[in-house]
Amino acid sequence: MQDVKDLELILRTQIPIIFIDTFEEKRALQLMTQMAIKHYKALYTWTPTDGLIQGASELPVKEPEHLEPKDVLSHIRFIRESSMFALCDMQYFLGEPKNIRYLKDMALSYERTQSSVIIIGHNVEAPDALKRYSANFRLSLPDESGLKSIVLEEADKWMQRNNGRRVRTDQDTLGKFVRNLKGLTQVDARRVIVNAIDDGMINDDDMPNATQAKFEMLNLDGIMNFEHSKIDM
């Protein structure tokens, strides 16, 4: 996977802070889990609602700890084991100079701790004060092969829910449908796919709906006008 290779390169260059710009928080955390296992590092995850937890659990198992950004940043500075700290939505709190200083202190101590801070969220990038110590990273969009795999996954789930019936389509239609999904994230593409196969088939009737959904998800409705038919009547 290209994301694994690209993130691996950043980690090998010993950049202490990584900003991941994505809507796909769950996918980013899965990537962090892979990296932590591969590099024998502890993984900690923080959100403003769940506080700091070890690992990347989606459900908190105890009362939240270190909910406040300044508290968690102060706390993780003193974790001595080599770790990866995935901080979700921390970008909203970087207007506070003390939080920037906490991150800078961690970056300056990287050679000793070998701990990385990963800030995950939408529209995030390194602020000027941290650019020297950080890298910006974007999750890649799925290619046609990846999109087709998602279609097959969802078709298999549909078959299991419907007594072994198979989703009907043909290779040409499937190819057009998959190409129509290019440019979407994995999450958004899956939503379109699930909606398309709800009736047990992928056919030409799904193309306009898929295209319209893509326009909406990419927020193009305000600058482009989508028409279901190109035929002038």
Side-chain angles (χ1 to χ4, degrees), residues 200-230:
M201 65 181 70
I202 296 174
N203 56 28
D204 287 339
D205 293 340
D206 292 308
M207 303 303 169
N209 292 333
T211 303
Q212 178 63 40
K214 179 176 176 178
F215 269 55
E216 291 171 356
M217 289 174 181
L218 295 177
N219 198 27
L220 295 178
D221 271 346
I223 58 174
M224 297 179 71
N225 182 43
F226 175 77
E227 298 179 0
H228 284 270
S229 174
K230 294 181 180 178

Side-chain angles (χ1 to χ4, degrees), residues 17 77 98-110 112 130:
I17 306 173
R77 288 188 308 152
K98 196 168 186 178
N99 292 340
I100 293 287
R101 184 67 224 189
Y102 281 138
L103 289 168
K104 186 176 179 180
D105 287 344
M106 293 189 68
L108 293 172
S109 64
Y110 179 83
R112 175 174 50 82
L130 296 176

Side-chain angles (χ1 to χ4, degrees), residues 14-230:
Q14 299 193 329
I15 296 174
I17 306 173
I18 304 170
F19 288 81
I20 299 183
D21 181 12
T22 182
F23 281 114
E24 298 181 280
E25 181 179 295
K26 183 176 179 180
R27 184 178 158 209
L29 290 175
Q30 289 171 344
L31 184 59
M32 292 304 101
T33 301
Q34 286 181 259
M35 291 293 100
I37 292 171
K38 185 171 183 178
H39 291 269
Y40 303 100
K41 292 177 182 282
L43 175 65
Y44 293 85
T45 305
W46 177 86
T47 71
T49 51
D50 292 336
L52 185 69
I53 59 173
Q54 189 156 14
S57 174
E58 295 180 28
L59 296 173
V61 294
K62 60 180 181 178
E63 193 69 22
E65 297 178 342
H66 309 294
L67 282 171
E68 292 299 317
K70 61 181 177 59
D71 293 339
V72 72
L73 291 173
S74 176
H75 174 72
I76 63 179
R77 288 188 308 152
F78 297 103
I79 294 178
R80 296 306 179 198
E81 63 182 330
S82 181
S83 305
M84 298 178 71
F85 302 104
L87 310 179
C88 302
D89 292 336
M90 178 60 76
Q91 73 273 18
Y92 298 118
F93 307 99
L94 295 184
E96 171 58 50
K98 196 168 186 178
N99 292 340
I100 293 287
R101 184 67 224 189
Y102 281 138
L103 289 168
K104 186 176 179 180
D105 287 344
M106 293 189 68
L108 293 172
S109 64
Y110 179 83
E111 286 190 14
R112 175 174 50 82
T113 65
Q114 295 293 300
S115 290
S116 304
V117 176
I118 300 93
I119 296 176
I120 301 169
H122 171 56
N123 210 21
V124 304
E125 64 176 344
D128 289 342
L130 296 176
K131 283 183 178 178
R132 183 180 180 85
Y133 316 101
S134 61
N136 295 316
F137 183 81
R138 281 177 177 266
L139 295 182
S140 63
L141 296 174
D143 57 14
E144 287 190 27
S145 176
L147 291 166
K148 188 173 181 180
S149 294
I150 299 173
V151 174
L152 295 177
E153 286 174 21
E154 293 304 326
D156 185 63
K157 292 177 185 177
W158 189 92
M159 182 176 68
Q160 293 177 36
R161 293 193 304 268
N162 289 273
N163 301 316
R165 289 170 53 205
R166 293 180 178 274
V167 174
R168 290 180 293 156
T169 190
D170 60 75
Q171 287 297 330
D172 288 343
T173 303
L174 178 59
K176 285 192 294 184
F177 180 70
V178 167
R179 287 191 293 274
N180 233 7
L181 300 173
K182 290 186 71 174
L184 292 178
T185 65
Q186 287 187 13
V187 170
D188 288 341
R190 194 177 296 274
R191 288 174 183 160
V192 175
I193 291 164
V194 169
N195 184 62
I197 66 176
D198 186 57
D199 59 357
M201 65 181 70
I202 296 174
N203 56 28
D204 287 339
D205 293 340
D206 292 308
M207 303 303 169
N209 292 333
T211 303
Q212 178 63 40
K214 179 176 176 178
F215 269 55
E216 291 171 356
M217 289 174 181
L218 295 177
N219 198 27
L220 295 178
D221 271 346
I223 58 174
M224 297 179 71
N225 182 43
F226 175 77
E227 298 179 0
H228 284 270
S229 174
K230 294 181 180 178

